[in-house]
Amino acid sequence: MGMKVDEGGALGAHVAHFGEGSGVAARVFAAPARVNLIGEHTDYTGGLVMPMAIGFRTIAVLSPRRDGRAVFYSRNFDGEFSVDVASVSLDRRGEWSDYPVGVLWAMVQAGVEVGGFNMTLWGDVPLGAGLSSSASVEVATAMALLDYARVELPIERIATLCRRAENEYVGAQTGIMDQFVVTGAVAHRAMLLDCRALTFELLPLPEDVRVVICNSMVKHRLADVAGYGDRRGEVEAGQAVLRTCRPGIELLRDATVADLEACAGKMSAASLKRCRHIITENARVVESRSALMRGDVVRFGEIMLAAHASMRDDFEASCAEVDALVEIAMLQAGCYGARITGGGFGGCTVNLVRADATEAFVEAVIEGYRAAMGILAECFVCDASDGALALRAAAGVAKAGQK
Ligand code: GLA
């Protein structure tokens, strides 16, 4: 699965950059990437999502320094950025450093006392592919900083801090899904997350299927003005109409298709379609949970396809390349379902494939996509991995308030 980052390599890069002494008291944390099986664009209106963590990851190495400065080194970008911890302020630069500095900023805002440090970040998460490279960097950074500050926080607090970094510092108006699953995922399980209650259920994945991710190689950026932000605006406008038109509805999560139809005349055609996607998508997550619980992968696959059609036609967040990838996937033997995953406007598809058909599937999809679009796709066969918490548990940090 692409280049593998490892602890030894990350530590080596840290020492090479910051000098011999920096290896001695270094802490090493890792946070994975994620893929969303179903439940797209439901998170920021309190809905349901079903992501899992995958084997790509970001490693953060931290060692203390005495002068109160925070020095970040990115091995991927071979760049360094530093700031005084005491004076870190909302000052985005529009580059890689915004993610870790944003997390430091959010921590300081939350009253976490952090001393000076050197940090190396190194990851193998494909960028702009919709696999949450940003949440992976944020959560790895947060884990290292919390351990350094000797503060232990529950999953939802870590996720909320990282989301705040993404929303306010980086400037991408995302929901909580990515940061939450990257923090709290468990190996061999998908996570059904209720984004309103911030409670979750871990669901077993059938043994005889594999999750295959296919990258269309069409890049997206969540902070771009068009795309994610536009859709979120249309969704929120529709949600505001529902709130006034149907008392008792606070979030789109509370609404049914009948509610939407009753208020349809009061909202724009775009908001109507976006809200219809979200309402039906929440229902699809509930149904796919039942399918998973009874081991019905055929039904799960059908629901994935319906979810793709909804993202394409109602949410209008797919693109020709990704649609082609889904169509090609569905022509292959052993493929139960395929859909666009992540924020949309490019990025990856997620496919549910019978285990013994996986190799042929990958070959055929790459060849079919090359023939149809002239682009070389990258496919990854994934296992559901642990989130960052598993590593933190091993570190044995002090409880919050005990410092
Ligand atoms: C991105 C965001 C998430 C979520 C998805 C769409 O990954 O970061 O919060 O909104 O898009 O489901």
Side-chain angles (χ1 to χ4, degrees):
M1 215 155 91
M3 169 191 61
K4 277 279 177 199
V5 302
D6 60 49
E7 194 180 323
L11 205 51
H14 187 74
V15 171
H17 189 78
F18 290 110
E20 272 309 318
S22 66
V24 182
R27 299 157 159 81
V28 186
F29 286 84
R34 69 95 186 92
V35 67
N36 190 17
L37 295 175
I38 194 157
E40 220 64 84
H41 283 274
T42 48
D43 62 348
Y44 48 84
T45 49
L48 302 170
V49 294
M50 196 192 287
M52 64 183 217
I54 57 175
F56 295 110
R57 58 190 186 155
T58 304
I59 297 189
V61 183
L62 180 149
S63 58
R65 53 185 290 152
R66 293 177 192 284
D67 60 359
R69 280 194 80 71
V71 185
F72 295 96
Y73 165 63
S74 164
R75 180 172 166 183
N76 295 77
F77 292 93
D78 194 25
E80 188 184 283
F81 179 71
S82 67
V83 62
D84 273 326
V85 174
S87 61
V88 61
S89 62
L90 256 188
D91 188 11
R92 136 181 4 135
R93 305 169 75 224
E95 55 146 51
W96 67 269
S97 61
D98 288 347
Y99 299 90
V101 177
V103 171
L104 174 65
W105 171 82
M107 294 250 165
V108 171
Q109 294 291 305
V112 176
E113 287 171 32
V114 186
F117 60 88
N118 293 323
M119 182 182 285
T120 294
L121 290 160
W122 184 33
D124 60 9
V125 188
L127 304 182
L131 301 178
S132 280
S133 53
S134 39
S136 179
V137 170
E138 288 156 5
V139 174
T141 303
M143 301 304 293
L145 289 179
L146 286 170
D147 184 62
Y148 183 40
R150 301 197 157 278
V151 172
E152 190 178 31
L153 296 177
I155 301 171
E156 67 274 14
R157 287 285 312 279
I158 298 172
T160 303
L161 271 173
C162 291
R163 180 194 181 182
R164 186 165 182 212
E166 176 105 29
N167 289 172
E168 295 178 38
Y169 200 96
V170 177
Q173 295 309 311
T174 62
I176 192 86
M177 165 170 72
D178 304 343
Q179 291 80 7
F180 200 101
V181 68
V182 163
T183 306
V186 171
H188 313 300
R189 297 284 183 273
M191 176 186 268
L192 174 58
L193 173 65
D194 179 326
C195 298
R196 171 162 53 193
L198 293 187
T199 53
F200 63 92
E201 187 183 356
L202 296 169
L203 302 171
L205 292 163
E207 301 228 319
D208 50 348
V209 298
R210 304 300 299 275
V211 171
V212 182
I213 295 172
C214 297
N215 189 349
S216 70
M217 310 307 274
V218 178
K219 291 216 173 192
H220 80 159
R221 262 197 86 227
L222 294 184
D224 282 352
V225 190
Y228 193 96
D230 284 1
R231 287 294 174 276
R232 187 166 174 160
E234 292 160 348
V235 166
E236 279 170 355
Q239 181 173 256
V241 170
L242 276 159
R243 244 179 227 145
T244 48
C245 157
R246 305 291 269 188
I249 294 181
E250 178 52 32
L251 294 165
L252 254 183
R253 165 76 182 281
D254 305 313
T256 62
V257 173
D259 292 322
L260 186 65
E261 278 162 5
C263 311
K266 300 197 171 76
M267 64 180 77
S268 71
S271 285
L272 179 62
K273 288 171 94 176
R274 311 310 176 230
C275 291
R276 188 166 60 210
H277 162 75
I278 290 171
I279 293 169
T280 57
E281 185 80 348
N282 280 322
R284 281 187 289 271
V285 177
V286 172
E287 209 207 325
S288 58
R289 173 192 180 276
S290 312
L292 214 50
M293 297 305 274
R294 49 171 207 276
D296 189 348
V297 281
V298 171
R299 183 65 197 138
F300 194 95
E302 288 168 0
I303 303 168
M304 287 174 80
L305 259 191
H308 181 74
S310 182
M311 272 287 275
R312 182 190 60 209
D313 304 336
D314 274 347
F315 212 71
E316 295 179 281
S318 188
C319 60
E321 292 87 349
V322 171
D323 291 343
L325 263 184
V326 168
E327 279 160 30
I328 295 161
M330 291 312 297
L331 294 174
Q332 310 310 319
C335 179
Y336 295 104
R339 56 176 288 274
I340 187 171
T341 186
F345 308 98
C348 294
T349 61
V350 59
N351 307 267
L352 206 60
V353 185
R354 210 178 60 228
D356 63 7
T358 305
E359 213 173 300
F361 173 86
V362 167
E363 269 174 36
V365 168
I366 290 176
E367 180 45 34
Y369 187 59
R370 197 196 52 73
M373 291 288 160
I375 305 172
L376 202 60
E378 281 179 358
C379 294
F380 316 106
V381 181
C382 296
D383 293 313
S385 316
D386 278 321
L389 270 187
L391 294 184
R392 186 169 70 124
V397 297
K399 289 250 183 263
Q402 284 186 353
K403 40 180 185 166

